[in-house]
Amino acid sequence: MATVKLSSPATGLLAGGRTRRSAPARRATVIRAAAGSYADELVSTAKSVASPGRGILAIDESNATCGKRLSSIGLDNTEANRQAYRQLLLTTAGLGEYISGAILFEETLYQSTTDGKKFVDCLKDQNIMPGIKVDKGLVPLPGSNNESWCQGLDGLASRCAEYYKQGARFAKWRTVVSIPCGPSALAVKEAAWGLARYAAIAQDNGLVPIVEPEILLDGDHGIDRTLEVAEKVWSEVFFYLAQNNVLFEGILLKPSMVTPGAEHKEKASPETIAKYTLTMLRRRVPPAVPGIMFLSGGQSEVEATLNLNAMNQSPNPWHVSFSYARALQNSVLKTWQGRPENMDAAQKALLVRAKANSLAQLGRYTGEGESDDAKRGMFQKGYTY
C-alpha cells in the first residue's frame, strides 16, 4: 500500500504526485489573484488603519468647504490660511497614539509645513497612514428624484498612481443616498456601482479604498426606515464590489450610523443606535472586511463618541472605529480662532477629542467632563463637502 509523505506544513504530495497546499497558502494565492501585485500591501495598510484604539482624522474638505470652516472664525479662504490650519492638525505631537490615518484633500497631500517638511512625512513619523480624497464631487442624477451621483472615474487610475507616488496609501470616495428623495433604485444602483468601480481602480494602483455610501441624516423618518434603506444600499454595494473582484481584506468601510432622521420627533439612545447599526452590519458586511470607520454626519462631538462607544461594548467581527471630520475638528477651530498664540491650546483640544474616540473604540468612554459646546449637534440640512 502506497504511503503519502508530507514535505512541509504548507505543501504535500497527493496520489499521482500532485501537490497539496495548506489553507493559508491557498488563501494567500486567492488574495494575490484578487488584487494583483499590491495585494499584500493593501492588506497590511488596511490592518494598520484598523488598529486597536485608533481611527481616522478626516480633513479632506474641498477648498470651498474648508473656506466655510475658516470663515466661521473670521479667516479668509486663502491657501496660506488653509495650510496653517492643516499644519496645526497634522503636527500635533502624540496624535499617532489615537489616529491611524488622515484623509487629505489633494492640495494638502502636496503641501509642507512652514519649515519645509512635507505633511505626508509629518504623518508617517507618527505612524499615521496618509490618505487622499479621489472623487470629484456630487452632481444631479438625471432621471432620478432630485438625487445625486458622484463623479470622478475618468482619469482615476492615473490620479491614484500619482497619489501613491506622493505617499498616499488609502483613498476615499464619498457618495450619498437621500431617504426623503426615495431613495430611487436608480440612485442606489449608481452609488453602489460607482463605489465598486472606484474600489477596483484604487486597489489596482496600491490604494486601500474607503467605501462610503453616506445615508444622509436629512428627514423626519424613524430609525426602522433608516435600517431598511441601509440594508438595501449595503447589499447592492457588496454585490457590485464582488462583481468587480474587489479584495475585501483590502478595503475599509465608512458607513453612516443607523439613526432616526435629524428632524424625527424622537431621538434614539446610543444603545438603540448601536443595536440597529450592528444588526445592519452583521447582515450585510463580510467578516473579511478589516475595519468599519464610521462617519459622524453632523452629530455632535459627544453624540458621535457615545454611539461609537456603545457599539464596542462587546466583540465585533471587524474593527469598529471612527473617521470623523467635524466631530474631531469643531472644538479645535473654536479654540484656535486663527491666532498663533492659541495653537498649543487648539492642538490639546484635538488630542482631547482624539483620545475620547480612542477610548470609545475600546469601549471605555464615559462622557464625563465634556463641555456644552461638544454636546451641540452640527447637522446642517443639505450639507455639502
Side-chain angles (χ1 to χ4, degrees), residues 3-4 8 22 85 125 173 215 279 289 329 333 348 380 384:
T3 59
V4 176
S8 74
S22 68
Y85 177 53
D125 285 350
W173 176 288
I215 298 170
T279 294
V289 174
Q329 296 182 49
L333 267 172
K348 287 177 183 175
Q380 296 177 31
T384 58

Side-chain angles (χ1 to χ4, degrees), residues 40-50 129 169-170 206 208 252:
D40 292 340
E41 183 181 356
L42 293 169
V43 173
S44 176
T45 297
K47 285 182 178 177
S48 177
V49 176
M129 286 284 181
R169 288 298 177 266
F170 68 97
V208 169
L252 297 165

Side-chain angles (χ1 to χ4, degrees), residues 221-348:
H221 51 276
I223 195 169
D224 288 291
R225 175 59 177 154
T226 308
L227 175 63
E228 178 187 3
V229 171
E231 288 185 349
K232 172 64 175 172
V233 170
W234 281 107
S235 175
E236 294 226 16
V237 167
F238 273 99
F239 174 77
Y240 288 117
L241 286 172
Q243 276 207 337
N244 282 272
N245 299 310
V246 171
L247 175 65
F248 290 174
E249 291 89 345
I251 66 174
L252 297 165
L253 306 188
K254 186 169 178 174
S256 309
M257 297 179 189
V258 178
T259 69
E263 296 155 297
H264 188 65
K265 57 181 183 282
E266 293 180 11
K267 276 202 160 192
S269 68
E271 292 73 25
T272 299
I273 290 169
K275 177 184 175 182
Y276 273 77
T277 304
L278 291 175
T279 294
M280 182 276 292
L281 293 174
R282 290 183 183 122
R283 289 174 177 173
R284 293 294 181 265
V285 180
V289 174
I292 312 287
M293 322 299 287
F294 282 105
L295 58 90
S296 54
Q299 301 176 72
S300 75
E301 291 177 327
V302 171
E303 276 178 327
T305 310
L306 284 170
N307 292 338
L308 177 62
N309 186 72
M311 281 183 254
N312 282 298
Q313 293 307 300
S314 57
N316 292 302
W318 338 264
H319 175 80
V320 174
S321 192
F322 59 93
S323 177
Y324 293 164
R326 286 174 284 174
L328 283 172
Q329 296 182 49
N330 195 49
S331 295
V332 180
L333 267 172
K334 290 181 177 179
T335 304
W336 180 46
Q337 294 294 317
R339 298 172 183 163
E341 64 268 24
N342 293 342
M343 184 171 171
D344 287 347
Q347 290 182 328
K348 287 177 183 175

Side-chain angles (χ1 to χ4, degrees), residues 100-149:
S100 56
I103 312 172
L104 310 177
F105 191 60
E106 186 178 63
E107 177 182 77
T108 317
L109 182 69
Y110 291 91
Q111 282 179 327
S112 301
T113 68
T114 49
D115 294 332
K117 185 173 184 177
K118 293 179 180 178
F119 282 153
V120 167
D121 292 333
C122 294
L123 293 171
K124 289 179 179 178
D125 285 350
Q126 294 213 56
N127 193 29
I128 299 173
M129 286 284 181
I132 178 69
K133 169 187 166 75
V134 298
D135 68 76
K136 294 295 183 179
L138 300 169
V139 292
L141 177 63
S144 71
N145 187 25
N146 294 319
E147 294 162 289
S148 301
W149 69 287

